[in-house]
Amino acid sequence: MERPPSPSGSWLLGCLLTLAFLQLPAQVSGHTGDADKFYLAPLGGTAELPCPLLLWPGMVLSEVRWQRPAHLPHTAQAVHVLQDGQDSDGDLMPEYKGRTELVRDANSYTLYIRNVRLEDRGPYQCQFRVGNQSREGNVTLQVAAPAPTSLSSPEVALSVVLPILGLLILLGIWVICKQKRSKEKLLYEQVMEVENLLEDHAKEKGRLHKALKKLRKELKLKRAAANAGWRRARLHFVVVTLDPDTAHPKLILSEDRRCVRLGDKKRPVPDTPQRFDFVVSVLGSECFTTGCHYWEVYVGEKTKWILGVCSESVSRKGKVTASPANGHWLVRQSRRNEYEALTSPQTYFRLKESPKCVGVFLDYEAGVISFYNVTDKSHIFTFTHSFSSPLRPFFEPCLHDEGRNTAPLIICTELQKSEASIVTKQEEKSQANGDVSLKVNPSLLSPQGSELLPFNDTWPSNLSPALQGFKAPSL
């Protein structure tokens, strides 16, 4: 397609021909008045209306719309519409169909109207749309009607035309210079904007680098503090026992009340207000209202467990949502190397090494409950809260997990002396290092006790020897 002549050249040529020969040819358009808004076209010729909105390099428009503004709001009528690079004539004014063409150059879009009529004169509006954002620019078309044939002599015509022609040439030069300066100013503003963005990006990158460095330093200090915290916590080691009056009917406790596992059926025990009847849990017998206390629980190869501390006043009946707001400060292993702190919402995390023994530390006055991986002496998680009521240890061995989670939870005790005839050299070395071990009596309470059952009848036969020789990690 041949491109129509440029706006400035066509305008000057059209004015010259109008004054000199009193007859305007077709396919000519030009400028008059404000060069940015008013454009002149001959009657029956072609009008050229450049959009005053400029395109940025690389800008992709979703819609370009030329329309005639109306007096009432939201009643503009479309002259030419370009959507996603394709012409659309769905809502065009009937009198413009087939007479318009939209051409894009490097900086904007230009509307061409063929066979200009007197009705075409007036304001036009171009609209650029990118996504949900749009910008508008206004121009005005003036239509020049052919003048009657002049009866004056050529000399008189030239004496009138030449001064006007000189003024038009000067005006054209001024318009071209103004457009050039406008384009240069816009380009300069765009360059400055990009430079400012790059400078802001560099500053933000520097801030992020400093923040990351600070966070890494804080993490290193926190790890060191957590390790020191575990060493301080174990100075407050206490022996914790299980309270059978709180145990869910399906839980089975050992005779010394330091082991708990899930049975296959409910036991015939009294349904007291202290007993859990839905949550398969048991509390420690100890009740803490002050001071620092630390205990350890051997979890071994269990795939699921819940440990921690709860308020003495927590609900024991029905389904309960465990959270600090409800008086629970618990950590749970949900599956292999996947753990949750039962915050609200829950906090999920992984550990480098799965703990076989978990340490729980309570500092009542400081409002701290911390969990430690005794296996590698690392910190797991810490709750902070302002305590105002008695607290008790919490234990839940969880469901069997298709036979993978039948092992009990075992509360570690201080190392007890054994007969010299059965103590190996390795055990003597462990005792010298201050290891903590659990010695489980192979029989439970007498059958007349309703809470506990005989060991050999209720615990797996292959578990008793393992418990008798069990040693927890050293303090």
Side-chain angles (χ1 to χ4, degrees):
M1 178 185 297
E2 181 178 322
R3 185 169 179 175
S6 66
S8 300
S10 299
W11 175 55
L12 294 174
L13 181 59
C15 292
L16 176 61
L17 292 177
T18 300
L19 296 172
F21 302 103
L22 303 178
Q23 178 67 42
L24 289 172
Q27 304 297 329
V28 178
S29 64
H31 299 223
T32 184
D34 188 347
D36 289 337
K37 294 186 178 181
F38 294 88
Y39 296 88
L40 177 67
L43 183 65
T46 298
E48 179 181 355
L49 301 178
C51 182
L53 301 177
L54 298 180
L55 297 175
W56 289 11
M59 179 183 293
V60 178
L61 302 179
S62 58
E63 183 181 87
V64 180
R65 175 181 292 266
W66 277 87
Q67 56 192 8
R68 296 294 302 271
H71 297 292
L72 296 178
H74 309 292
T75 59
Q77 295 177 304
V79 175
H80 194 107
V81 179
L82 185 69
Q83 292 182 337
D84 297 325
Q86 301 293 329
D87 290 332
S88 174
D89 57 356
D91 58 347
L92 297 182
M93 297 174 65
E95 56 268 35
Y96 287 94
K97 288 187 177 181
R99 294 199 299 125
T100 62
E101 180 182 5
L102 198 61
V103 177
R104 175 173 178 170
D105 57 18
N107 298 317
S108 188
Y109 280 88
T110 300
L111 176 68
Y112 293 89
I113 304 176
R114 295 184 291 273
N115 300 323
V116 174
R117 308 168 183 173
L118 290 176
E119 296 82 6
D120 294 339
R121 66 178 181 268
Y124 289 76
Q125 184 182 79
C126 67
Q127 183 184 80
F128 288 174
R129 182 176 296 275
V130 179
N132 294 329
Q133 304 296 323
S134 65
R135 294 180 59 193
E136 294 83 24
N138 298 311
V139 298
T140 300
L141 175 64
Q142 295 181 347
V143 179
T149 304
S150 176
L151 299 178
S152 60
S153 63
E155 292 81 3
V156 175
L158 287 177
S159 64
V160 175
V161 168
L162 290 179
I164 296 177
L165 181 59
L167 292 175
L168 292 177
I169 293 175
L170 293 176
L171 181 60
I173 295 174
W174 177 81
V175 168
I176 294 174
C177 293
K178 182 179 179 182
Q179 290 179 343
K180 184 178 179 180
R181 287 194 300 269
S182 177
K183 292 179 181 179
E184 290 177 350
K185 181 180 179 181
L186 178 61
L187 181 60
Y188 174 76
E189 292 176 351
Q190 293 174 349
V191 171
M192 292 301 298
E193 183 176 356
V194 172
E195 290 181 352
N196 291 335
L197 289 175
L198 292 176
E199 184 178 356
D200 293 342
H201 175 72
K203 291 180 179 179
E204 185 65 22
K205 184 177 179 181
R207 286 193 292 266
L208 291 176
H209 179 73
K210 291 181 180 178
L212 180 60
K213 187 177 181 180
K214 181 179 179 181
L215 289 176
R216 287 176 176 172
K217 184 177 180 180
E218 291 178 353
L219 179 60
K220 186 176 180 180
L221 292 175
K222 286 182 179 180
R223 288 175 177 172
N227 185 40
W230 179 78
R231 296 181 184 277
R232 182 178 69 90
R234 62 178 182 161
L235 298 177
H236 303 277
F237 185 86
V238 294
V239 177
V240 174
T241 58
L242 301 173
D243 182 2
D245 293 334
T246 65
H248 185 276
K250 293 191 70 173
L251 293 180
I252 302 175
L253 278 60
S254 64
E255 180 181 6
D256 59 5
R257 296 178 181 175
R258 294 193 178 96
C259 301
V260 57
R261 72 175 180 88
L262 179 65
D264 296 328
K265 59 183 180 180
K266 292 185 176 181
R267 296 176 292 114
V269 294
D271 186 14
T272 61
Q274 295 80 18
R275 189 181 304 281
F276 290 99
D277 65 353
F278 185 87
V279 180
V280 189
S281 308
V282 60
L283 300 183
S285 301
E286 292 69 25
C287 190
F288 304 121
T289 58
T290 185
C292 297
H293 311 276
Y294 173 80
W295 61 94
E296 292 181 348
V297 182
Y298 183 76
V299 298
E301 300 297 330
K302 289 180 68 63
T303 58
K304 296 182 178 181
W305 48 260
I306 302 177
L307 296 172
V309 175
C310 73
S311 176
E312 167 69 22
S313 60
V314 295
S315 175
R316 316 285 175 86
K317 304 300 180 183
K319 187 175 181 180
V320 179
T321 300
S323 68
N326 293 331
H328 300 82
W329 296 271
L330 308 176
V331 168
R332 171 170 64 191
Q333 180 182 15
S334 56
R335 53 180 61 88
R336 292 288 184 184
N337 201 30
E338 293 187 13
Y339 302 86
E340 306 166 28
L342 301 187
T343 53
S344 182
Q346 297 172 351
T347 303
Y348 298 88
F349 55 89
R350 290 177 177 268
L351 300 177
K352 290 184 178 180
E353 182 175 354
S354 297
K356 296 186 182 301
C357 187
V358 177
V360 183
F361 174 66
L362 166 64
D363 188 336
Y364 194 96
E365 284 77 14
V368 171
I369 299 176
S370 295
F371 296 80
Y372 297 95
N373 182 349
V374 181
T375 305
D376 62 1
K377 303 178 182 179
S378 63
H379 174 257
I380 296 178
F381 191 83
T382 293
F383 290 94
T384 57
H385 189 80
S386 180
F387 304 120
S388 59
S389 61
L391 303 178
R392 299 179 67 176
F394 182 96
F395 306 87
E396 185 172 335
C398 296
L399 302 179
H400 287 164
D401 194 16
E402 299 180 353
R404 295 187 295 269
N405 195 46
T406 58
L409 292 175
I410 306 172
I411 301 174
C412 300
T413 64
E414 292 182 349
L415 183 62
Q416 300 178 6
K417 293 183 179 180
S418 302
E419 293 79 358
S421 59
I422 63 173
V423 176
T424 63
K425 293 182 179 179
Q426 181 63 35
E427 290 173 335
E428 293 173 349
K429 181 179 179 182
S430 299
Q431 294 176 10
N433 291 335
D435 290 351
V436 175
S437 67
L438 173 67
K439 183 178 180 182
V440 180
N441 195 319
S443 63
L444 299 174
L445 294 178
S446 59
Q448 55 266 32
S450 61
E451 292 292 324
L452 305 172
L453 301 178
F455 186 91
N456 294 333
D457 294 337
T458 59
W459 293 72
S461 59
N462 61 345
L463 184 61
S464 179
L467 292 177
Q468 292 176 359
F470 164 71
K471 284 190 180 337
S474 65
L475 288 172

